[in-house]
Amino acid sequence: MVIVLKSNAQQKSIDSLMDFLRSLGLDIHVSQGDDVTILGLVGDTSRVDIDLLTALDIVKTVRRISEPYKDANRKFHPADTIIDIDGVKIGGGNFQIIAGPCSVESEEQMNFVAKSVKDAGAKLLRGGAFKPRTSPYAFQGLRENGLQLLTQAGQANGMPVVSEIMDIAQLPLFEDVQVLQVGARNMQNFELLKELGHTSKVILLKRGLANTLEELLMSAEYIMSGGNERIILCERGIRTISAVTRNTLDLSAVPLLKEMTHLPVIVDPSHATGLAGLVLPMSLAAAAAGADGLMIEVHNDPEHALCDGRQSLRPEAFAQLAKAVEQVLPFAYKREAEASL
Ligand code: PEP
Ligand code: MN
């Protein structure tokens, strides 16, 4: 349920309304806009008398929210959420590119790739250290050592880093990692999501291979209901009958999600297509569709990469991509803010 307050509502009256709502066992999410204050109620609102609330002179309107996601809902928080990662902002008109190899392989590789993608304009560095591989015989990542190489390369180049966490027991190893990625395969690992809700890390939540947008937002809700609201959503392609691409990039997810939620939405065209040649056109399309950023796999020597070489760009191709995306951004689709709530 959402209570929209009148712009002249006195703080004293707002406080007593909030005390009353809390006494009904509800949590209140306050969204303070320029000219409107919204109280989002989370919990069992069946006992709330809408007529009584509407009759209060500080209340403009009261609406029930039918969607099962509340904290993540745009109706609770009409303004875009902007996430600040050690000074790098994403969302609300701030577009960022996360770039780096699928997997951390060596110190030389990380330092080279970090410097190249930074020079090309990426502000965040990625690198997997714990890899979710289909085969137990495939390279599983350098684990703790990989995280060290990633964070060193990030620090040396002044870039916050992004890496995938697969189990909450790994959390102490991620102390110097600014953004924890929850991969597609763990999007509905609810115990992991709950635990991440109790951390203060930024979470990059990827859409599952066969999950709806509502399911993605319910996973974000698991994290948010634990108190951590710093979440970036990522469309990374879904399973379809495509025989050529690794997945199918569902670009309609971008404007749809941005209507449904206030959280930033980025696109990963590398995993969505699986083919390096498709990463540039799909990046341009994602930027044009209104994405808040991109995550791109970049490798110094894709032919010999230990993971995902076919979809990895060389640094020069990445630099061209970053330039081309800049050209598209001024024409990108922007959702119209609701005229009135
Ligand atoms: C990755 O980003 O390296 C990865 C494994 O992605 P996804 O979970 O989307 O497959
Ligand atoms: Mn990968």
Side-chain angles (χ1 to χ4, degrees):
M1 184 177 287
V2 160
I3 305 175
V4 183
L5 300 178
K6 289 186 184 155
S7 54
N8 60 359
Q10 298 292 311
Q11 193 56 47
K12 222 173 118 219
S13 318
I14 300 177
D15 289 344
S16 50
L17 173 58
M18 289 187 21
D19 286 345
F20 166 68
L21 294 166
R22 286 200 190 97
S23 75
L24 299 177
L26 298 168
D27 277 339
I28 307 171
H29 186 289
V30 184
S31 172
Q32 189 85 56
D34 283 344
D35 40 31
V36 70
T37 301
I38 294 174
L39 304 182
L41 307 187
V42 188
D44 178 8
T45 54
S46 57
R47 283 168 49 221
V48 178
D49 181 343
I50 291 197
D51 293 337
L52 184 114
L53 291 179
T54 313
L56 297 175
D57 55 354
I58 60 167
V59 171
K60 192 170 160 199
T61 49
V62 181
R63 281 197 295 172
R64 286 206 183 271
I65 300 290
S66 48
E67 296 86 1
Y69 50 94
K70 311 289 178 190
D71 281 342
N73 202 313
R74 173 76 82 177
K75 290 175 188 155
F76 263 41
H77 188 294
D80 289 337
T81 284
I82 298 174
I83 295 179
D84 189 322
I85 311 160
D86 286 0
V88 178
K89 291 198 174 113
I90 184 160
N94 302 282
F95 184 95
Q96 298 298 347
I97 306 184
I98 304 168
C102 178
S103 307
V104 179
E105 297 173 11
S106 69
E107 189 176 347
E108 300 71 47
Q109 172 227 24
M110 273 324 299
N111 290 341
F112 181 81
V113 174
K115 184 167 186 331
S116 334
V117 298
K118 161 114 197 217
D119 289 348
K123 295 266 176 15
L124 296 138
L125 180 66
R126 69 154 281 153
F130 293 93
K131 295 302 304 176
R133 304 304 300 276
T134 303
S135 164
Y137 309 118
F139 175 59
Q140 302 287 307
L142 295 184
R143 305 177 72 86
E144 188 167 0
N145 189 26
L147 287 180
Q148 267 165 17
L149 298 176
L150 172 71
T151 52
Q152 277 161 17
Q155 280 159 12
N157 290 280
M159 301 170 89
V161 297
V162 182
S163 200
E164 177 163 355
I165 184 165
M166 296 212 295
D167 189 310
I168 199 64
Q170 297 160 351
L171 187 63
L173 303 174
F174 282 72
E175 202 178 328
D176 297 326
V177 175
Q178 288 78 9
V179 182
L180 306 191
Q181 175 173 318
V182 174
R185 289 152 194 82
N186 270 318
M187 188 202 91
Q188 288 192 315
N189 181 340
F190 300 119
E191 290 300 319
L192 176 63
L193 301 176
K194 280 187 215 168
E195 292 294 337
L196 293 173
H198 299 131
T199 71
S200 55
K201 297 281 187 188
V202 176
I203 309 297
L204 174 60
L205 180 63
K206 297 187 96 175
R207 182 180 183 182
L209 278 68
N211 285 110
T212 64
L213 299 182
E214 184 169 300
E215 286 165 345
L216 172 62
L217 292 176
M218 289 311 290
S219 291
E221 194 77 11
Y222 261 96
I223 303 169
M224 297 176 95
S225 62
N228 184 359
E229 310 218 320
R230 305 212 301 154
I231 302 172
I232 301 167
L233 303 170
C234 180
E235 164 59 38
R236 47 78 71 208
I238 48 172
R239 280 281 161 83
T240 69
I241 52 164
S242 169
V244 180
T245 54
R246 183 171 173 181
N247 293 291
T248 296
L249 178 55
D250 178 12
L251 267 187
S252 62
V254 175
L256 278 170
L257 281 172
K258 292 188 69 79
E259 203 54 48
M260 296 161 87
T261 182
H262 49 90
L263 297 171
V265 179
I266 70 166
V267 170
D268 169 354
S270 307
H271 291 91
T273 65
L275 296 168
L278 291 178
V279 172
L280 170 64
M282 292 302 99
S283 296
L284 297 176
D292 296 298
L294 293 166
M295 181 152 84
I296 310 285
E297 284 189 344
V298 180
H299 199 282
N300 51 317
D301 183 10
E303 282 78 18
H304 297 102
L306 296 181
C307 185
D308 287 352
R310 272 185 90 195
Q311 68 195 35
S312 298
L313 297 187
R314 291 177 190 286
E316 312 81 69
F318 174 72
Q320 279 170 11
L321 177 148
K323 266 206 192 114
V325 166
E326 278 292 314
Q327 307 288 307
V328 168
L329 287 178
F331 307 101
Y333 170 75
K334 286 189 192 62
R335 72 178 275 284
E336 300 271 325
E338 266 181 334
S340 70
L341 280 152

